[in-house]
Amino acid sequence: MIVCAARILILILFLLLWELCADHGIIDSFIFSSPSRIALCFWEMVLDRSIFLHLGITLYETIVSFLLVTFSGILIAVLLWCSRGLSEILEPYLVVLNSLPKSALAPLLIVWLGATPTTIIVAGMSVAVFGSIMNLYTSFTTVDKEKIKLIYTLHGNRRHALFKVVLPSSVPAIISNMKVNIGLCLVGVVIGEFLAARNGLGYLIIYSSQVLT
């Protein structure tokens, strides 16, 4: 209860300080706006129902890209764990792909794939998928070797080691990756909507910045 109260108090103090600074001219309210103006604008968009369209599209694209990143990340990490040679071959490529600036990759995806929702979903995936693969593979390879040895001692095979030891031991890492990936997918989707969308929060941000509303 103390932690929850402290979190709420910090948020209230931040919003109150922001509002007071905007009202007294400490910050430029035209540039930084204020919580009351944002709430009023949001309420107007709720009344005309325009916000629900943009939220729904961005939420759909984010969830799809997140699910694809989670599934493909686990699948490819498992394949790399099963084949040491494959992991050694692909590791430098994964490092390079993960280090690419994703904001620069999004325009190329739009040129290659066209300005479609599929492209925006791919842009959302590109932000998170390579890091997810590397993190999960690292988690798989750092599982207690003695437990895996025990599986083989009891006449188990690699499949038993994967499903009985590796995956259960990596559940915390998988959940941690999912927490990070949902935010990264949202960032990637919004970047894609900045460049090629007629709906969504990214489009709404760009449109509002152009007309200064």
Side-chain angles (χ1 to χ4, degrees):
M1 292 178 63
I2 294 175
V3 172
C4 292
R7 290 173 177 174
I8 296 172
L9 180 62
I10 290 174
L11 177 61
I12 293 175
L13 290 176
F14 170 73
L15 295 176
L16 182 61
L17 180 62
W18 183 6
E19 184 72 29
L20 291 175
C21 289
D23 290 343
H24 291 81
I26 299 175
I27 60 175
D28 189 345
S29 60
F30 181 76
I31 301 298
F32 294 97
S33 189
S34 66
S36 60
R37 293 184 180 183
I38 293 174
L40 180 61
C41 180
F42 178 78
W43 180 246
E44 291 176 352
M45 296 186 72
V46 169
L47 293 178
D48 63 19
R49 299 183 179 276
S50 59
I51 189 63
F52 298 114
L53 171 64
H54 299 293
L55 280 175
I57 290 175
T58 300
L59 184 62
Y60 164 76
E61 293 167 343
T62 301
I63 291 176
V64 171
S65 62
F66 168 71
L67 293 176
L68 291 175
V69 165
T70 301
F71 175 76
S72 59
I74 295 174
L75 178 61
I76 296 174
V78 167
L79 292 177
L80 294 178
W81 179 83
C82 291
S83 175
R84 180 61 61 87
L86 181 63
S87 65
E88 293 178 353
I89 292 171
L90 295 182
E91 183 177 3
Y93 294 100
L94 290 173
V95 172
V96 171
L97 290 172
N98 187 48
S99 63
L100 287 175
K102 306 307 185 296
S103 58
L105 185 62
L108 294 177
L109 292 175
I110 292 170
V111 172
W112 294 337
L113 303 177
T116 64
T118 302
T119 305
I120 296 174
I121 292 172
V122 173
M125 291 181 60
S126 67
V127 175
V129 66
F130 303 114
S132 178
I133 293 170
M134 295 177 61
N135 291 333
L136 290 177
Y137 173 68
T138 301
S139 175
F140 291 172
T141 56
T142 55
V143 171
D144 189 353
K145 304 298 182 183
E146 297 300 322
K147 294 181 179 179
I148 297 178
K149 186 182 295 185
L150 177 61
I151 292 292
Y152 292 143
T153 303
L154 297 174
H155 304 289
N157 53 33
R158 203 165 183 81
R159 179 174 61 85
H160 293 124
L162 175 64
F163 288 102
K164 300 293 184 180
V165 177
V166 175
L167 288 179
S169 299
S170 300
V171 168
I174 294 173
I175 294 175
S176 177
N177 262 278
M178 292 173 68
K179 291 179 181 179
V180 174
N181 288 342
I182 187 66
L184 293 177
C185 289
L186 176 60
V187 170
V189 165
V190 170
I191 290 174
E193 291 176 346
F194 280 168
L195 302 173
R198 295 183 179 179
N199 296 292
L201 295 181
Y203 163 80
L204 193 62
I205 292 171
I206 289 296
Y207 175 79
S208 299
S209 65
Q210 291 175 346
V211 299
L212 295 177
T213 59

